[in-house]
Amino acid sequence: MEDTDRRDTEPKADPKTEAAAADGEDGPPGPPAPDNESSTGGAGGNTDAEGEAEASRRTRRRTGIRIRIRRTVLAIVLVLLVPLLTAETALRINYMGDPADGTHTRNRDAMWLGHAWVDGRKKDADLKALARELKTTGIRDLYVHTGPMEHDGTLPKSLYPRARWLIDGVHRELPGVRVQAFLGDVLATESPDGMRLEKTETRAAVVDSARQVLDVGYDGVHLDLEPLHSGDRNYLSLLDDIRAVTRARDAQLSVAAHQIDPLPGFHSFWGTVAGHPKWWSQKFFGQVARRVDQIAVMSYDTMQPLESLYGGYVAQQTSLALEVTPPTTHLLMGLPFYHENRFGHWNHAETVAAAVCGVRLGLSRTDADRERFGVAAYIDFAATEEDWTSYRDGWVR
C-alpha cells in the first residue's frame, strides 16, 4: 500500500502579530518550557511538585498507550494466526492414515509436454525415448503445448510446424495414447493486458483455433486460461461452444482447472486481500467439470511449507473435486514434476511422493471405486528420475 500524504498541521502565523514583532513589540508568548526547566513562582506558575506530577501523568499516559498498542497487535496476530494454525493442523491430520486397496492407476493418467515437441527441436530419437518412458506408466493423454494463442483468440500456424510429426509418431510408438493440443493464454482479469473473454469475437476466435488444431489431427483440445476467476460465465459459454466442435469430431475437450476453495468463499477473501482470487468455488468447479470430457486440477503452487501439509492439502483437493465432478467426466489431479523455490511453491514440500499419497487418501475417503480418475504430471522437460520413481512406486505399482 502507498503511504498517505503527510500534511502540515502547524497553524499559520497571524500577519498582524508578525508585523508587531518586526516593529520591536513583544510577539506572542512562545511554548512553555519543559516541566523540569520551569521554575517561575507566584500565582499561575508551576511549582517543582506540580512539574513532577505532570511528568508522572505523561509517563503513565505513554505507558498506557504502549500497552494498548501491544494488545491490539497481539489481537490482530491471534485473529490471523489461530485460524491458520487450525487449518494447517487439519491438513496434517488429513495426511494421516492408509490409502484403500485398489487406489492406484486406472491407466487414465496424463502428462503436460513442452512446446519443443511441435516447434522442431525434438527429433525421432527423443520420441523413441519418450515412448520407452511412458510404456511403464498409466499415461494415456498428452497435453502438448501448441500455443500460446494471441490475445484476440487466434493461433498462428507457424507455432507448431512439427505437430503432425508428433501426432503420427505417438500413434505409432504408443498405440492408444491421445495427443491433445494444449492452448493457453493470459487473461486480462488482473492486468490490462491479456485475452478478454467478455468479447464475443475473442471467444469465437478461440473456437476457430480449436477447429484449427483438430484439422491438423490432434485428438483433442486442452484449454489453460489463467488467471481465471471463479464464476466466469463467459468461460462457461466458451466451453459450451468448443465442446460442440469436439463432439462433432469425436475429439476430447479437457481443461486445466484452478484449485477449489479450501474454506468456503476463500477465493473472495483472498481476492480482497491479495488481488488474486486463485481458487474456484466448488460450485463453479462442478459447472466446469460438467462441460468437459477431462478436468485436470493444477494441485501444486499451494504455499504449503511442509511435505505433510502439502499431502494433506492434495487429499482435501481430491475429495472436493470428486464431490462435484460427474462420473462421466474424467478427473485428474496434478503432480509437480518440476522444481522451484519461491513464494507459493517450496520444492522440499511439494513432492510427487506427497502428492500421490494425498491423491490416494482423498480417493479412498470419497470415491475409491471412481473409474474415470487419474493423475497428470507437469511437466516433461523438468522431470527428474526421482519424480518418475515416486509416480511409479506410489501410483502405478
Side-chain angles (χ1 to χ4, degrees):
M1 297 176 63
E2 296 183 358
D3 292 334
T4 56
D5 294 336
R6 297 181 179 177
R7 304 186 185 277
D8 189 0
T9 58
E10 294 185 5
K12 295 182 179 179
D14 187 332
K16 294 181 180 179
T17 304
E18 289 181 343
D23 291 337
E25 298 177 5
D26 290 339
D35 290 342
N36 61 351
E37 295 179 4
S38 179
S39 57
T40 305
N46 292 330
T47 63
D48 290 342
E50 290 173 340
E52 291 176 0
E54 178 62 22
S56 177
R57 284 193 293 272
R58 290 182 178 181
T59 299
R60 288 197 299 273
R61 283 198 297 270
R62 287 195 294 268
T63 301
I65 291 172
R66 285 196 295 267
I67 291 173
R68 286 194 294 274
I69 291 174
R70 288 172 183 170
R71 287 175 177 173
T72 301
V73 170
L74 179 60
I76 293 172
V77 170
L78 289 176
V79 166
L80 296 175
L81 192 59
V82 170
L84 177 62
L85 291 176
T86 301
E88 295 293 76
T89 300
L91 293 182
R92 180 65 185 88
I93 294 172
N94 211 32
Y95 194 56
M96 296 178 177
D98 296 319
D101 293 338
T103 52
H104 47 73
T105 188
R106 279 85 164 116
N107 291 315
R108 292 177 178 270
D109 303 332
M111 187 171 204
W112 282 277
L113 300 185
H115 199 82
W117 289 100
V118 295
D119 67 5
R121 283 176 284 170
K122 295 291 187 179
K123 307 300 180 184
D124 289 345
D126 299 306
L127 181 57
K128 289 185 180 295
L130 177 66
R132 286 194 299 271
E133 191 79 79
L134 297 184
K135 281 178 180 177
T136 56
T137 71
I139 293 174
R140 295 296 178 269
D141 282 281
L142 299 176
Y143 306 141
V144 185
H145 191 268
T146 308
M149 292 179 287
E150 299 293 323
H151 292 340
D152 63 3
T154 59
L155 178 67
K157 293 182 179 180
S158 59
L159 291 177
Y160 52 92
R162 295 271 282 170
R164 187 74 241 188
W165 164 82
L166 175 66
I167 296 165
D168 291 342
V170 169
H171 290 169
R172 181 183 63 253
E173 300 289 339
L174 294 164
V177 173
R178 293 177 294 206
V179 185
Q180 301 191 41
F182 169 8
L183 304 180
D185 193 25
V186 175
L187 296 178
T189 51
E190 297 174 15
S191 70
D193 298 322
M195 182 181 289
R196 297 184 178 276
L197 293 181
E198 66 271 19
K199 293 185 176 181
T200 303
E201 60 272 24
T202 298
R203 298 198 305 274
V206 174
V207 175
D208 286 339
S209 294
R211 290 193 186 94
Q212 183 177 314
V213 294
L214 293 177
D215 288 342
V216 174
Y218 279 101
D219 300 305
V221 177
H222 179 77
L223 207 59
D224 180 18
L225 302 176
E226 303 178 47
L228 180 62
H229 293 180
S230 184
D232 192 324
R233 303 299 305 179
N234 295 312
Y235 180 66
L236 297 180
S237 176
L238 175 63
L239 294 180
D240 289 336
D241 293 341
I242 295 178
R243 196 170 194 192
V245 173
T246 56
R247 278 181 167 172
R249 303 287 191 94
D250 194 25
Q252 296 287 296
L253 172 58
S254 59
V255 295
H258 288 22
Q259 297 157 29
I260 301 173
D261 281 333
L263 297 171
F266 199 68
H267 69 279
S268 297
F269 166 77
W270 198 256
T272 301
V273 172
H276 172 51
K278 183 177 174 64
W279 291 272
W280 287 352
S281 71
Q282 192 180 35
K283 177 182 177 181
F284 183 68
F285 187 96
Q287 291 173 333
V288 174
R290 289 192 292 274
R291 286 171 164 82
V292 298
D293 299 297
Q294 300 178 343
I295 184 166
V297 185
M298 295 180 286
S299 41
Y300 33 75
D301 293 348
T302 65
M303 297 184 286
Q304 296 304 318
L306 300 174
E307 194 173 23
S308 59
L309 299 180
Y310 172 61
Y313 184 89
V314 173
Q316 181 201 45
Q317 288 291 309
T318 302
S319 293
L320 291 172
L322 282 167
E323 289 170 358
V324 292
T325 302
T328 52
T329 299
H330 180 185
L331 172 64
L332 301 109
M333 302 303 298
L335 303 181
F337 274 48
Y338 67 102
H339 306 273
E340 298 177 359
N341 277 307
R342 53 178 169 76
F343 178 75
H345 182 99
W346 303 109
N347 188 51
H348 67 274
E350 297 199 13
T351 65
V352 174
V356 166
C357 184
V359 167
R360 295 188 64 204
L361 287 168
L363 182 63
S364 301
R365 295 164 182 159
T366 312
D367 192 354
D369 297 324
R370 175 73 67 110
E371 183 60 29
R372 294 180 180 272
F373 184 87
V375 297
Y378 183 87
I379 188 166
D380 70 301
F381 58 77
T384 66
E385 191 56 42
E386 181 180 358
D387 295 331
W388 283 111
T389 299
S390 296
Y391 160 69
R392 288 190 178 93
D393 290 350
W395 183 245
V396 180
R397 301 197 162 197

